[in-house]
Amino acid sequence: MKMEKITFPQIKEDEIRHEMPGIQKKIFTFVAVFMSLFHLYVLGFNPVTPWILYTVHLGLGALLVFLSHPMRRVSGASKLFILDFILIAGTIFSSIYLIKEMDELIYRIGVAPTTLDLIVSAILIVVVLEITRRTTGLILPVLAVLFILYAHFGKYLPGFLGHRGYEWDRIFSYLNSLDAIFSVPIGASASFVFLFILFGSFLSGTGGSQFFINFAIGATGSKRGGPAKAAVLSSALFGSVSGNSVANVVSTGVFTIPLMKKIGYTPRYAGAVESVASTGGQIMPPILGSAAFIMAQLVGVPYLDIVMASIIPALLYFATVFMMIDLQAAKLGLKGMPKDSLPNLKEVMKREGHLFIPLLVLIFVMTILKASPIKAAIWAIASTIIVSFLKKQTRLNLRKLIECLANGARSALGMIAACATAGLIIGVLNLTGAGLKFATVILSFSGGSLPFALVLTMCATIILGMGLPTTAAYLITAAVVAPALVQMGVSTIAAHMFVFYFACLSAFTPPVALAAYAAAGIAKAKPMQVAFTAMKIGIVAFIIPFVFVYGPPILLDGSIGEVALSTITALIGALTLASAVEGWFLGRHSNIVVRMLLLISSILLIVPGGFTDILGIAFVLICVIQRRLLKTKKSDESLSA
């Protein structure tokens, strides 16, 4: 029986939280478009001082948050009220003041602030906390308030937590500086991250998101467990541009999850696959998540170094997920989907294949020309606009260009708020010296044991990530814990990559697994079941960060031979780990002994080292011989019967 052709509706951009009244929506669009054009102009053609760039970036972002996320709403409409107007006025006033007084203010901060300086600082702190509350929830603002209180009342605390304490005027003035609100997080947000978010918006505007899904389903849909493999491929492609796990889930999951359920995967498993695959988008080169840009700034290395270091870990991540899906499909006897019900890959490439060009341009400019990420992003945006005209269905007319500019600014709002609030926390750590104290405590508490310190770091990052965006979770943990790991002999980039990975993995780690919750809603499954299943599918992701520390070649830190050997053995280890977890090896169910041997061998192979590799391969060979002997025995028994 011929299966009905599957149709894939077009992906639409996420709507503003609630519909805005006409004039309010027009103002929002105007400000959003202006914000995007401002960044393109000053970053690409006419540079301004960082102080002005950061102030305008934060000020316009705050205005857009207040316009789209008002204090109250009437009948579902995002209508502004008196408090919103007050906050908007405060944002405009403080931004103008900071730009006008820039030359003198920079010398008064933390030393001799005027009364008006302090008023503006207080307004700005309130604005930052409020836009963060409206976009990301209460946890991050409350954490920031606790740190600000700590800066003043720390003198009353006993032991290592105590410090000499600071007066409110010193605190408020210092937090409104390049060491706090306008420090590295908001700097990376304004100069790097915003442009890449804008690039993602332009690519989506051409239909790029839909193309990735059609390409993935056309390429893998007919294979064993095809829709699940399509989820992995499409999420890797889309996630490399979006860098947001939840956005990735809701964009690709609405297509892949129903198809996974259609061929026989349970709702729980389908949701778990999508949440793990979408989370992996944050570690997928060439863009990664927004925290990676900030990492480059904190570590003090070119962004390209972060991209190169992430290649093998991302390969291990997606290869293992792919293997887990394939083994699960084999164990359950699941098939792919009929080819005549899927998008024709040749037709998809013929119709929309040119949308790969902007990604190739991005990679070429960064790796071959070795240009800055800013130039690479601008070239990628320009190439997206140009190639869109190659086909009528992807063409960006004036209306679509305006939508892309507005959607890019809108997509950056949560990131801007989180970076500004994280800057407040970093400012307090800098002012009080608490960061170094926490690092000393970690060193002391771990007893000098690096494995114990790594486990503590993992737990702290995942706990923070449960209630915070990835960027904020990474920033706070990196500021407190990364220095301790460096003091224990871990390379700076490995320490930061360790924190970054676990900040990403919090998206599907119970009990607050935002990506898993989003996938569960689409799959109509229980969120906690989806989250725990996702942990099983993504189990290798919890091992890879430890490999950063003990096996630098995984981060391309070593000779070509060392990198190649580490990659090959780690991939074999990933395959054996998948076999151990799924209980399926060489086409058969595995008993507990084989599964334990495979589990041990996988860890030995994933961890770099000559002796561990030899031992791991020996365990794998034992399992292969056992399988072959069992197969021969069963064959002889069937012949004698």
Side-chain angles (χ1 to χ4, degrees):
M1 179 179 172
K2 188 176 180 179
M3 192 172 179
E4 183 182 354
K5 182 81 171 180
I6 297 174
T7 57
F8 298 94
Q10 294 295 310
I11 294 177
K12 295 181 180 179
E13 292 291 336
D14 294 335
E15 298 293 332
I16 300 296
R17 188 177 60 167
H18 299 286
E19 185 63 31
M20 291 179 283
I23 184 64
Q24 187 176 325
K25 189 173 184 178
K26 289 179 180 178
I27 295 173
F28 176 92
T29 301
F30 175 80
V31 175
V33 170
F34 175 79
M35 182 177 185
S36 294
L37 292 175
F38 171 81
H39 282 77
L40 288 171
Y41 178 67
V42 301
L43 293 172
F45 306 100
N46 188 22
V48 295
T49 62
W51 184 268
I52 293 176
L53 173 62
Y54 302 167
T55 301
V56 174
H57 178 72
L58 178 57
L60 292 177
L63 286 178
L64 293 177
V65 171
F66 293 134
L67 286 168
S68 60
H69 297 68
M71 182 64 70
R72 293 192 297 130
R73 59 183 187 273
V74 177
S75 301
S78 294
K79 187 177 180 181
L80 297 178
F81 290 88
I82 183 64
L83 184 58
D84 299 306
F85 285 109
I86 292 174
L87 290 168
I88 288 173
T91 301
I92 296 172
F93 170 73
S94 58
S95 298
I96 293 174
Y97 182 84
L98 291 177
I99 294 173
K100 182 175 179 297
E101 295 291 315
M102 174 183 64
D103 294 334
E104 291 78 19
L105 186 63
I106 200 166
Y107 296 105
R108 298 199 298 261
I109 288 176
V111 180
T114 65
T115 301
L116 195 52
D117 290 345
L118 295 175
I119 292 173
V120 169
S121 295
I123 292 173
L124 194 62
I125 291 171
V126 170
V127 165
V128 167
L129 293 174
E130 180 60 13
I131 63 173
T132 307
R133 183 193 69 80
R134 297 190 186 193
T135 55
T136 66
L138 271 172
I139 296 178
L140 184 55
V142 168
L143 190 61
V145 169
L146 290 176
F147 268 84
I148 293 172
L149 293 174
Y150 169 72
H152 180 72
F153 296 105
K155 58 187 175 183
Y156 300 111
L157 296 176
F160 75 93
L161 287 175
H163 58 82
R164 67 186 185 89
Y166 296 88
E167 296 303 319
W168 289 115
D169 58 347
R170 174 77 183 278
I171 296 170
F172 277 44
S173 177
Y174 186 82
L175 292 181
N176 183 28
S177 71
L178 292 172
D179 292 323
I181 290 179
F182 299 110
S183 59
V184 169
I186 206 70
S189 169
S191 53
F192 301 116
V193 185
F194 187 89
L195 287 181
F196 279 89
I197 291 176
L198 192 58
F199 167 54
S201 176
F202 272 93
L203 197 58
S204 293
T206 63
S209 305
Q210 186 69 46
F211 163 63
F212 291 152
I213 293 176
N214 289 339
F215 173 81
I217 294 176
T220 63
S222 62
K223 307 296 189 294
R224 182 170 65 189
K229 294 175 180 177
V232 175
L233 182 56
S234 62
S235 294
L237 290 170
F238 183 71
S240 68
V241 176
S242 72
N244 185 301
S245 55
V246 176
N248 204 346
V249 168
V250 299
S251 296
T252 61
V254 292
F255 303 101
T256 58
I257 289 175
L259 292 181
M260 283 188 268
K261 291 167 64 178
K262 191 179 185 68
I263 67 165
Y265 284 111
T266 63
R268 175 182 64 184
Y269 197 87
V273 168
E274 182 56 51
S275 61
V276 173
S278 294
T279 298
Q282 294 187 88
I283 59 172
M284 184 67 182
I287 298 180
L288 294 88
S290 58
F293 294 93
I294 299 170
M295 187 198 310
Q297 297 290 94
L298 291 176
V299 176
V301 299
Y303 176 69
L304 182 59
D305 288 0
I306 303 297
V307 172
M308 298 302 293
S310 69
I311 291 175
I312 297 177
L315 175 64
L316 288 175
Y317 183 97
F318 282 104
T320 308
V321 173
F322 207 84
M323 294 169 190
M324 294 281 285
I325 290 167
D326 186 67
L327 293 175
Q328 175 77 357
K331 187 167 66 173
L332 298 178
L334 303 181
K335 306 295 182 183
M337 303 187 71
K339 287 188 176 182
D340 59 0
S341 68
L342 299 171
N344 184 286
L345 187 57
K346 289 183 179 179
E347 289 297 321
V348 169
M349 289 301 297
K350 182 179 179 181
R351 187 176 64 251
E352 301 167 331
H354 59 288
L355 296 179
F356 265 133
I357 294 176
L359 281 176
L360 297 177
V361 169
L362 178 70
I363 295 170
F364 176 80
V365 174
M366 279 204 299
T367 59
I368 306 300
L369 300 183
K370 297 189 181 302
S372 69
I374 293 176
K375 288 185 178 179
I378 291 175
W379 273 104
I381 292 170
S383 65
T384 304
I385 297 172
I386 293 170
V387 301
S388 75
F389 284 91
L390 295 178
K391 298 285 184 178
K392 183 178 180 180
Q393 64 270 20
T394 63
R395 194 168 299 157
L396 290 174
N397 54 31
L398 181 59
R399 181 182 61 81
K400 287 185 177 180
L401 284 172
I402 291 174
E403 288 179 357
C404 291
L405 291 167
N407 286 332
R410 175 182 60 80
S411 299
L413 298 183
M415 178 268 302
I416 294 171
C419 286
T421 303
L424 289 174
I425 295 173
I426 291 173
V428 172
L429 292 175
N430 291 335
L431 180 64
T432 62
L436 293 175
K437 291 182 180 181
F438 284 126
T440 303
V441 170
I442 291 170
L443 288 170
S444 176
F445 191 67
S446 64
S449 170
L450 180 57
F452 190 32
L454 292 173
V455 172
L456 287 175
T457 303
M458 175 187 73
C459 294
T461 309
I462 288 176
I463 289 171
L464 278 173
M466 289 177 183
L468 302 179
T470 299
T471 302
Y474 160 73
L475 276 168
I476 296 169
T477 313
V480 174
V481 180
L485 297 181
V486 173
Q487 288 184 47
M488 299 180 79
V490 180
S491 70
T492 304
I493 192 169
H496 282 263
M497 285 288 283
F498 187 92
V499 175
F500 172 61
Y501 252 65
F502 282 113
C504 294
L505 298 184
S506 63
F508 64 79
T509 305
V512 184
L514 297 180
Y517 283 16
I522 299 171
K524 294 180 172 57
K526 293 182 179 179
M528 291 304 293
Q529 290 183 351
V530 171
F532 280 111
T533 305
M535 286 188 67
K536 173 186 171 183
I537 296 172
I539 187 170
V540 76
F542 293 90
I543 300 174
I544 292 174
F546 290 90
V547 181
F548 296 163
V549 176
Y550 293 102
I554 293 294
L555 297 179
L556 298 184
D557 183 9
S559 66
I560 295 176
E562 291 174 332
V563 171
L565 181 62
S566 296
T567 303
I568 293 169
T569 55
L571 282 171
I572 298 172
L575 174 59
T576 55
L577 178 62
S579 298
V581 173
E582 288 294 343
W584 188 265
F585 185 61
L586 296 179
R588 292 178 179 274
H589 287 282
S590 303
N591 57 36
I592 187 65
V593 175
V594 172
R595 293 179 74 170
M596 288 303 299
L597 286 174
L598 289 172
L599 180 61
I600 294 170
S601 67
S602 68
I603 296 173
L604 291 171
L605 286 165
I606 291 174
V607 175
F611 177 73
T612 57
D613 290 343
I614 293 171
L615 199 58
I617 291 173
F619 279 126
V620 173
L621 290 176
I622 292 172
C623 294
V624 172
I625 293 170
Q626 191 272 344
R627 292 280 92 179
R628 294 302 181 191
L629 290 175
L630 181 62
K631 183 178 180 180
T632 303
K633 180 181 177 181
K634 288 188 176 181
S635 178
D636 291 341
E637 288 176 352
S638 63
L639 287 174
S640 62

